[in-house]
Amino acid sequence: MTRGVGSMQDTFEKVIKHDELFHEEVLPRLKKLEEVQEEFRVEIGKITASQTSLELTVMKDGQQTRDLLGRFVDHYFGTDDKKLVLKEKVTLKQLSLRAKIALGFIGVLGGSGGILAGVAAVIEILKN
């Protein structure tokens, strides 16, 4: 059989060379890429699990911090409320009868809670 340009023999030889090149060069590289890709998948899974764990830890710590600060604020303002009530009681006791009556009428004119203030003023007048 004569060899000419584009003969079947040339085509078969090219196919065989490409097949060898594919098996020797391309397939090993492809296998390495797939291995690296699998390693990345495993690492991404680990990172995702760590992130979830970290989120839970931060949420628990945040809740504990909020609880602690809530108790602190309640304690602090509870103490301040007691001081304010004591100051208010002392101030009302120190007021004269006229001042109490004046406060009562001002409260009546002031609107909400004014009726109660008026009743309180009348009670103060009747006490003395």
Side-chain angles (χ1 to χ4, degrees):
M1 182 167 177
T2 59
R3 288 183 61 162
V5 179
S7 70
M8 289 297 270
Q9 184 65 31
D10 287 340
T11 305
F12 284 129
E13 288 175 6
K14 284 182 183 179
V15 168
I16 291 171
K17 282 183 182 178
H18 283 230
D19 190 45
E20 288 173 0
L21 180 67
F22 185 76
H23 285 288
E24 292 173 6
E25 300 276 332
V26 176
L27 285 180
R29 288 181 181 175
L30 185 60
K31 186 175 180 178
K32 285 182 183 178
L33 285 174
E34 288 174 344
E35 289 171 358
V36 169
Q37 186 180 18
E38 185 60 32
E39 289 176 16
F40 277 129
R41 280 190 195 130
V42 170
E43 290 300 316
I44 288 173
K46 289 178 182 177
I47 290 170
T48 303
S50 295
Q51 181 181 1
T52 303
S53 174
L54 180 61
E55 287 173 358
L56 291 174
T57 302
V58 168
M59 287 178 8
K60 285 179 184 176
D61 287 348
Q63 183 62 43
Q64 290 173 349
T65 302
R66 285 190 297 276
D67 292 343
L68 180 65
L69 287 175
R71 287 192 309 236
F72 174 75
V73 167
D74 288 343
H75 173 74
Y76 180 77
F77 285 114
T79 303
D80 277 356
D81 287 346
K82 290 176 187 173
K83 288 179 184 175
L84 289 175
V85 168
L86 289 176
K87 274 186 178 179
E88 197 173 305
K89 286 181 181 178
V90 169
T91 305
L92 285 177
K93 285 182 182 177
Q94 291 174 350
L95 290 177
S96 67
L97 179 61
R98 283 187 188 167
K100 289 178 185 177
I101 293 171
L103 278 175
F105 286 121
I106 291 171
V108 169
L109 296 175
S112 66
I115 295 173
L116 294 176
V119 170
V122 171
I123 291 172
E124 282 298 321
I125 292 172
L126 294 176
K127 276 186 182 177
N128 295 329

